[in-house]
Amino acid sequence: MTQTYDLIVRGGEVANHAGRGLADVGVRDGRIAFIGDLSQASAGEVVDATGLTVLPGVIDTQVHFREPGLEWKEDLETGSRAAALGGVVAVFEMPNTNPNTTDPATLEDKLARARDRMWTDHAFYIGGTHGNAAWLGELERLPGCCGVKVFMGASTGDLLIADDDGVREVLSNVSRRATFHSEDEYRLAERRDLARPGDWTSHTDVRDADSAIMSTRRLVRLAREVGRRIHVLHVSTAEEIAFLAEHKDVATVEVTPQHLTLDGDEAYERLKGYAQMNPPIRNAPHIAGLWHGIQQGVVDVLGSDHAPHTIEEKAKPYPASPSGMPGVQTLVPVMLTHVANGKLSLDRFIDLTSAGAQRVFGTANKGRMAEGYDADLTLVDLKAKHTIRHADMASRCGWTPFDGFEATGKAVATTVRGRVVMKDGELIGQAHGQPVRFMETLA
């Protein structure tokens, strides 16, 4: 009797826990049902993956999609559109919107806004504040929440927690791994006068490497004191990598493609405001330190820190120009270029973009290409050469710091829970992203 599936991805090179080899992927009811030879099987839909590599779906665990309150920069639909076009199947979105996401009502509002508008699956961080710290243990367990996010350096609204007592209170009230932007607010305040008007190269003077390492040392000390797990976002310094390597029992680590690829010694002159983000793009010794962290297994995940601002906003002279850059659509091609250049293995890319997210955040049925898991797949052409351009960006901001980047490798199809949502650079069907579930909060 002929086996039937809802979808078969046929003839591609499958790369997963079993290694790399030609295989078909059969999907039923949104889940992977079989990986192997399905030449005799039939399906309602067949995707020809000949010449392509089939990866576990890429998860971007740090994006800012700006809705509600800042929709002129981005919204949940446009941000997830960029994600799906870039080969990303799920995103974890940050709480520094207006209003901040800090309670059940603001979380539910985002989930409602996402319904039938987001092309990818999604989860939202709850922002930790001095005012809600006592309730974070309940808030972090709400459906659709990927965890608690704390800003130790400058942020918006009530989200800044600069003091040890505040961080200690947050950690004391959570049980899931808490996520941190780790820059020392007190040192940043002392150094703000170092900003040279119109000179973006002074961004690394204001937010120097010591601002990051001082904060991260404090954070690890507090985590050990309270006995909690932490996740350190967008690590940007060689010193932090060396320090965090000694504390992997409590701390997981994220780096961004921007910090791995852009060199501040030339990027600020070339890109001006487009190169401005927090923590800053740094120079070659720090870039080498981040790559050492990847090669030695210190780094757990890649996140894009997709944080768009308009071209007009970015054109303001420093320091009036806002920090942040888009990245969710370019994560895959930029990092696959590092694969093509021999700096990163494809296995490590998979580990950083799917398996790592599963380990750090405990996603349920996501982060692995295996029977029973969600049929989240990123189909890539590892040899495709193309130039990244502003004009190709789906983000509402309409620009990328990688404009002109000569890439090797690109996503050519994105499958979310068995639905082909992107193929050959075009979105397909309707947006049906759903909230990501997490093993620590399953009912």
Side-chain angles (χ1 to χ4, degrees), residues 52-53 64 86 128 139 194 206 213 252 287 341 394 406 429:
L52 304 179
T53 301
H64 302 256
L139 295 173
L194 297 178
V206 176
I213 187 61
T252 52
I287 298 170
N341 292 338
E406 298 295 337

PDB file of all heavy atoms in Angstrom, residues 52-53 64 86 128 139 194 206 213 252 287 341 394 406 429:
ATOM      1  N   LEU A  52      19.533  21.097  -3.347  1.00  0.00           N
ATOM      2  CA  LEU A  52      19.431  21.935  -2.160  1.00  0.00           C
ATOM      3  C   LEU A  52      19.820  21.153  -0.904  1.00  0.00           C
ATOM      4  O   LEU A  52      19.836  19.923  -0.908  1.00  0.00           O
ATOM      5  CB  LEU A  52      18.011  22.477  -2.008  1.00  0.00           C
ATOM      6  CG  LEU A  52      17.455  23.269  -3.192  1.00  0.00           C
ATOM      7  CD1 LEU A  52      16.028  23.707  -2.902  1.00  0.00           C
ATOM      8  CD2 LEU A  52      18.345  24.478  -3.504  1.00  0.00           C
ATOM      9  N   THR A  53      20.108  21.868   0.150  1.00  0.00           N
ATOM     10  CA  THR A  53      20.376  21.270   1.448  1.00  0.00           C
ATOM     11  C   THR A  53      19.221  21.605   2.378  1.00  0.00           C
ATOM     12  O   THR A  53      18.818  22.779   2.484  1.00  0.00           O
ATOM     13  CB  THR A  53      21.704  21.782   2.030  1.00  0.00           C
ATOM     14  OG1 THR A  53      22.756  21.463   1.114  1.00  0.00           O
ATOM     15  CG2 THR A  53      22.005  21.128   3.366  1.00  0.00           C
ATOM     16  N   HIS A  64      13.428  42.527  17.440  1.00  0.00           N
ATOM     17  CA  HIS A  64      12.588  43.635  17.888  1.00  0.00           C
ATOM     18  C   HIS A  64      11.683  44.006  16.709  1.00  0.00           C
ATOM     19  O   HIS A  64      12.163  44.609  15.742  1.00  0.00           O
ATOM     20  CB  HIS A  64      13.436  44.851  18.272  1.00  0.00           C
ATOM     21  CG  HIS A  64      14.447  44.599  19.347  1.00  0.00           C
ATOM     22  ND1 HIS A  64      14.275  45.012  20.650  1.00  0.00           N
ATOM     23  CD2 HIS A  64      15.659  43.984  19.299  1.00  0.00           C
ATOM     24  CE1 HIS A  64      15.341  44.656  21.368  1.00  0.00           C
ATOM     25  NE2 HIS A  64      16.193  44.038  20.561  1.00  0.00           N
ATOM     26  N   GLY A  86      13.976  35.182   4.776  1.00  0.00           N
ATOM     27  CA  GLY A  86      15.357  34.864   5.104  1.00  0.00           C
ATOM     28  C   GLY A  86      15.584  33.445   5.560  1.00  0.00           C
ATOM     29  O   GLY A  86      16.709  33.089   5.923  1.00  0.00           O
ATOM     30  N   GLY A 128      11.560  42.332  32.480  1.00  0.00           N
ATOM     31  CA  GLY A 128      11.682  42.433  33.933  1.00  0.00           C
ATOM     32  C   GLY A 128      11.846  43.881  34.352  1.00  0.00           C
ATOM     33  O   GLY A 128      12.625  44.636  33.753  1.00  0.00           O
ATOM     34  N   LEU A 139       4.547  35.250  35.451  1.00  0.00           N
ATOM     35  CA  LEU A 139       4.513  35.814  34.104  1.00  0.00           C
ATOM     36  C   LEU A 139       5.322  34.972  33.117  1.00  0.00           C
ATOM     37  O   LEU A 139       4.906  34.789  31.969  1.00  0.00           O
ATOM     38  CB  LEU A 139       5.065  37.247  34.133  1.00  0.00           C
ATOM     39  CG  LEU A 139       4.249  38.273  34.923  1.00  0.00           C
ATOM     40  CD1 LEU A 139       4.989  39.596  35.017  1.00  0.00           C
ATOM     41  CD2 LEU A 139       2.877  38.471  34.303  1.00  0.00           C
ATOM     42  N   LEU A 194      31.758  61.339  26.312  1.00  0.00           N
ATOM     43  CA  LEU A 194      32.794  60.984  25.345  1.00  0.00           C
ATOM     44  C   LEU A 194      32.260  60.919  23.914  1.00  0.00           C
ATOM     45  O   LEU A 194      33.042  60.773  22.972  1.00  0.00           O
ATOM     46  CB  LEU A 194      33.427  59.635  25.714  1.00  0.00           C
ATOM     47  CG  LEU A 194      34.169  59.586  27.052  1.00  0.00           C
ATOM     48  CD1 LEU A 194      34.692  58.178  27.311  1.00  0.00           C
ATOM     49  CD2 LEU A 194      35.313  60.603  27.078  1.00  0.00           C
ATOM     50  N   VAL A 206      32.086  55.519  24.185  1.00  0.00           N
ATOM     51  CA  VAL A 206      30.990  55.644  25.148  1.00  0.00           C
ATOM     52  C   VAL A 206      30.647  54.280  25.740  1.00  0.00           C
ATOM     53  O   VAL A 206      30.525  54.111  26.957  1.00  0.00           O
ATOM     54  CB  VAL A 206      29.752  56.255  24.472  1.00  0.00           C
ATOM     55  CG1 VAL A 206      28.571  56.299  25.442  1.00  0.00           C
ATOM     56  CG2 VAL A 206      30.062  57.652  23.944  1.00  0.00           C
ATOM     57  N   ILE A 213      32.128  43.835  29.976  1.00  0.00           N
ATOM     58  CA  ILE A 213      32.702  42.801  30.835  1.00  0.00           C
ATOM     59  C   ILE A 213      32.399  43.066  32.307  1.00  0.00           C
ATOM     60  O   ILE A 213      32.146  42.128  33.079  1.00  0.00           O
ATOM     61  CB  ILE A 213      34.224  42.654  30.587  1.00  0.00           C
ATOM     62  CG1 ILE A 213      34.784  41.461  31.370  1.00  0.00           C
ATOM     63  CG2 ILE A 213      34.976  43.918  30.906  1.00  0.00           C
ATOM     64  CD1 ILE A 213      34.206  40.126  31.008  1.00  0.00           C
ATOM     65  N   THR A 252      24.510  30.742  29.397  1.00  0.00           N
ATOM     66  CA  THR A 252      24.557  30.483  27.959  1.00  0.00           C
ATOM     67  C   THR A 252      24.820  31.798  27.231  1.00  0.00           C
ATOM     68  O   THR A 252      24.637  32.887  27.781  1.00  0.00           O
ATOM     69  CB  THR A 252      23.265  29.818  27.457  1.00  0.00           C
ATOM     70  OG1 THR A 252      22.133  30.591  27.899  1.00  0.00           O
ATOM     71  CG2 THR A 252      23.148  28.401  27.984  1.00  0.00           C
ATOM     72  N   ILE A 287      36.472  40.522  17.413  1.00  0.00           N
ATOM     73  CA  ILE A 287      35.870  39.608  16.432  1.00  0.00           C
ATOM     74  C   ILE A 287      36.545  38.241  16.527  1.00  0.00           C
ATOM     75  O   ILE A 287      35.877  37.198  16.543  1.00  0.00           O
ATOM     76  CB  ILE A 287      35.992  40.183  15.003  1.00  0.00           C
ATOM     77  CG1 ILE A 287      35.228  41.501  14.892  1.00  0.00           C
ATOM     78  CG2 ILE A 287      35.475  39.178  13.977  1.00  0.00           C
ATOM     79  CD1 ILE A 287      35.496  42.255  13.605  1.00  0.00           C
ATOM     80  N   ASN A 341      33.247  30.031   3.266  1.00  0.00           N
ATOM     81  CA  ASN A 341      34.637  30.469   3.377  1.00  0.00           C
ATOM     82  C   ASN A 341      35.449  29.608   4.344  1.00  0.00           C
ATOM     83  O   ASN A 341      36.631  29.898   4.588  1.00  0.00           O
ATOM     84  CB  ASN A 341      34.691  31.935   3.815  1.00  0.00           C
ATOM     85  CG  ASN A 341      34.164  32.869   2.746  1.00  0.00           C
ATOM     86  OD1 ASN A 341      34.133  32.531   1.565  1.00  0.00           O
ATOM     87  ND2 ASN A 341      33.728  34.058   3.145  1.00  0.00           N
ATOM     88  N   ALA A 394      12.722  43.112   3.148  1.00  0.00           N
ATOM     89  CA  ALA A 394      11.277  43.204   3.376  1.00  0.00           C
ATOM     90  C   ALA A 394      10.940  44.007   4.624  1.00  0.00           C
ATOM     91  O   ALA A 394       9.787  44.394   4.820  1.00  0.00           O
ATOM     92  CB  ALA A 394      10.682  41.795   3.496  1.00  0.00           C
ATOM     93  N   GLU A 406      28.799  40.435  -0.673  1.00  0.00           N
ATOM     94  CA  GLU A 406      28.784  39.342  -1.651  1.00  0.00           C
ATOM     95  C   GLU A 406      28.624  38.022  -0.905  1.00  0.00           C
ATOM     96  O   GLU A 406      29.560  37.533  -0.271  1.00  0.00           O
ATOM     97  CB  GLU A 406      30.065  39.352  -2.475  1.00  0.00           C
ATOM     98  CG  GLU A 406      30.276  40.621  -3.293  1.00  0.00           C
ATOM     99  CD  GLU A 406      29.219  40.800  -4.376  1.00  0.00           C
ATOM    100  OE1 GLU A 406      28.606  39.792  -4.787  1.00  0.00           O
ATOM    101  OE2 GLU A 406      29.000  41.946  -4.812  1.00  0.00           O
ATOM    102  N   GLY A 429       0.714  31.669   0.201  1.00  0.00           N
ATOM    103  CA  GLY A 429      -0.462  31.456   1.031  1.00  0.00           C
ATOM    104  C   GLY A 429      -0.706  32.611   1.979  1.00  0.00           C
ATOM    105  O   GLY A 429      -0.469  33.775   1.655  1.00  0.00           O
TER     106      GLY A 429
END
